Amino acid sequence: MRKRLHKWRLISIFAILALALSGCGEPFLSTLTPAGEVAKKQYDLMILSTVIMVLVIIVVTVIFIYVIARFRRTKKNENSIPRQVEGNHKLEIIWTVIPILLLLVLAVPTVSYTFQLADVSPMKQKDKDGKTKDALVVNVRANLYWWEFEYPDLGIITSQDLFVPTDKKVYFNVKSSDVKHSFWIPAVGGKTDTNPEGENQFWLEFDSKGSEKVQNQFYGKCAELCGPSHAYMDFKVQTLSQDDFNQWTQDMKNLKKPAAVGDLAKEGEEIYNKSCIGCHANTANDARPEKARTAPNLANFGDRTRIAGILEHNEENLRKWLQDPEKVKPGNLMTGKYQKLDDHELDALTAYLMGLKLEQ
Ligand code: CUA
C-alpha cells in the first residue's frame, strides 16, 4: 500500500512538472521558436551540438551493451579471462581522432557565429552631428526592477515596453545603474549581462514572420539573479513594420505635455505633480541626465501592456500597485517614496496615468 502511494506521489510530481514546463514552449518566450537571425543561428548551434552529443551517446551505448553481452560470465568461460589488449595503436588513434573531428565540426561554426554576432561596427559610424549613420541604436539601462530604453538618435526615452522595427538589425548598448542584470529576449536573442561598470554591445534582428506568429509581442526577461523581485523583472517587445515604427517615433516626438482629460484625471495630475514627478517623467524627451532618471518613464503609460512589468494592464491592477508596491514587487525602490494614497486619490491618479497615451 505504502509503495503504491509512493508511486502516485511521484507521478503527480512529474505531472505538475510537465504542466509547468509546457509553459516554457510559448513562442513569445521560447528559444525553440527562433524569430530572428541571431536566435536562428543560436538555434542551429543548439541542434548541431545536440545531434553530435546524441550520436556519441548512441555509439558508446551500443559498444557498451555489446561488450557486456559478449564478455559476460557464462558456464562455459567461468574459469577463463578474455585476452587482455593494451597499447593498441590503431584503436588509440581512432578514439583520439574522432573526438578531435567532432570538436572541429562544433568549433568552426561556433567561432564564426561568435564573431558575426559580435559585429557592431555599423553603430560606431557617426555622421557629423554625432548621430549613428545607418543603424538603429537603443541604449538599454537595467534597474532594480525595471528597464529603460533610450533611442539616442531619435531623442526618445521609454520604459518597460521596447519598440523595434522588424527585418532590420537593431544595435544595443546595454548597462545597469545598480547591480548586474542580464538582458534577454528568449525568442530573439540576447542574454547579455548589463553591468554597472561598463557597456556591452550587440545586435538583434526581429523577423516579421516570427513576429506575426506572436501578434508582434515578445517577452523579455532579466536573466541574472539580482534580488527578491528578479523573477518579476520582465519587459515586453513590440515589433512594428518600418513604416509603423517611423510613425511611432513621430508620435512619440510630438507627444508634448500630456493633457489630463476630465476632472478626476486633473486631480490625478495634481497628485502626480506633487508626489511622482520627482522620479517619473511624463514626456518621451526627458532631458534630465541619466542619474536623475531614477524611475520608469511614463510618457506612454496608458499604452503599456503590463502594470509593473508583470500584472495585466488594467485599472484595478494599477490601483493595487499604487496602493502597496511592495506586495507586487518586493524590494522595489518605489515603496515608501510617497505618502499613502486614500481611495479617492488612488482613483484620481489611476485615471490620470491611464490617460497617458499616444492617441488621446
Ligand atoms: Cu534584474 Cu534579475
Side-chain angles (χ1 to χ4, degrees):
M1 182 65 194
R2 212 135 170 225
K3 220 172 181 182
R4 203 180 297 158
L5 246 178
H6 195 76
K7 198 171 83 184
W8 278 110
R9 211 182 292 159
L10 251 182
I11 289 175
S12 53
I13 287 175
F14 279 127
I16 291 169
L17 208 63
L19 189 73
L21 286 175
S22 65
C24 302
E26 298 288 4
F28 49 79
L29 53 51
S30 173
T31 47
L32 302 179
T33 46
E37 200 183 330
V38 174
K40 272 179 193 146
K41 285 188 165 143
Q42 291 172 342
Y43 180 76
D44 290 347
L45 285 180
M46 281 199 281
I47 296 294
L48 178 68
S49 49
T50 307
V51 165
I52 290 178
M53 286 186 283
V54 169
L55 248 161
V56 170
I57 290 173
I58 289 174
V59 170
V60 170
T61 309
V62 166
I63 295 175
F64 179 73
I65 290 170
Y66 169 76
V67 169
I68 282 186
R70 172 84 169 67
F71 298 105
R72 74 189 187 284
R73 183 193 261 185
T74 55
K75 278 226 171 80
K76 244 199 245 160
N77 66 12
E78 209 161 4
N79 297 315
S80 67
I81 292 174
R83 189 162 70 88
Q84 302 295 296
V85 185
E86 271 159 36
N88 184 314
H89 283 237
K90 217 193 258 166
L91 272 178
E92 280 180 3
I93 287 171
I94 288 175
W95 66 54
T96 309
V97 167
I98 290 179
I100 289 176
L101 288 178
L102 291 180
L103 282 179
L104 276 177
V105 170
L106 201 55
V108 170
T110 304
V111 172
S112 124
Y113 284 176
T114 302
F115 280 97
Q116 278 177 46
L117 301 185
D119 175 23
V120 290
S121 49
M123 77 193 288
K124 292 186 176 133
Q125 288 164 11
K126 309 272 181 179
D127 63 13
K128 56 182 189 310
D129 300 328
K131 292 192 173 187
T132 318
K133 258 187 189 161
D134 196 27
L136 177 65
V137 175
V138 183
N139 296 338
V140 176
R141 193 160 59 100
N143 308 266
L144 292 163
Y145 300 96
W146 59 278
W147 299 86
E148 181 185 77
F149 307 110
E150 179 189 14
Y151 302 74
D153 299 322
L154 304 171
I156 296 173
I157 294 176
T158 168
S159 295
Q160 299 296 73
D161 283 20
L162 165 68
F163 289 79
V164 288
T166 50
D167 301 328
K168 194 186 165 182
K169 283 183 183 176
V170 183
Y171 292 84
F172 294 92
N173 277 311
V174 301
K175 65 172 165 192
S176 161
S177 31
D178 34 55
V179 300
K180 223 182 250 281
H181 304 267
S182 179
F183 177 85
W184 189 32
I185 306 164
V188 185
K191 209 179 210 181
T192 303
D193 274 2
T194 66
N195 302 320
E197 60 278 335
E199 283 182 1
N200 279 331
Q201 298 178 318
F202 62 97
W203 60 270
L204 292 176
E205 189 236 0
F206 305 76
D207 78 29
S208 46
K209 262 198 205 140
S211 296
E212 260 168 49
K213 270 189 219 149
V214 300
Q215 282 83 46
N216 301 311
Q217 194 192 87
F218 293 103
Y219 280 32
K221 292 258 164 204
C222 172
E224 180 80 51
L225 186 61
C226 53
S229 284
H230 154 71
Y232 305 138
M233 196 173 154
D234 289 5
F235 60 96
K236 302 288 171 288
V237 185
Q238 312 283 352
T239 52
L240 305 165
S241 68
Q242 185 64 51
D243 287 347
D244 288 348
F245 182 76
N246 295 344
Q247 185 61 49
W248 177 79
T249 53
Q250 273 316 313
D251 291 348
M252 284 298 273
K253 276 190 204 168
N254 295 337
L255 192 72
K256 289 281 143 56
K257 261 241 135 81
V261 181
D263 290 342
L264 193 61
K266 285 221 168 78
E267 257 182 76
E269 187 175 24
E270 275 170 35
I271 299 171
Y272 173 86
N273 286 332
K274 209 173 67 193
S275 307
C276 318
I277 208 165
C279 303
H280 293 277
N282 59 2
T283 51
N285 56 348
D286 187 358
R288 296 176 302 169
E290 202 178 273
K291 275 225 165 88
R293 305 197 301 260
T294 53
N297 184 299
L298 301 177
N300 54 348
F301 181 84
D303 294 325
R304 290 246 196 99
T305 47
R306 285 286 187 279
I307 303 286
I310 39 171
L311 302 176
E312 207 182 305
H313 193 84
N314 59 41
E315 294 183 356
E316 193 192 331
N317 284 335
L318 179 55
R319 284 177 106 265
K320 201 163 129 191
W321 166 247
L322 293 170
Q323 195 168 28
D324 189 1
E326 196 62 17
K327 227 183 205 164
V328 179
K329 256 185 176 174
N332 79 83
L333 299 179
M334 184 155 123
T335 304
K337 288 267 165 68
Y338 57 98
Q339 276 185 350
K340 264 229 171 298
L341 304 162
D342 65 31
D343 273 354
H344 181 72
E345 288 169 327
L346 278 174
D347 287 342
L349 192 53
T350 300
Y352 172 68
L353 291 174
M354 283 300 197
L356 298 178
K357 288 181 175 181
L358 280 185
E359 283 163 50
Q360 291 193 340

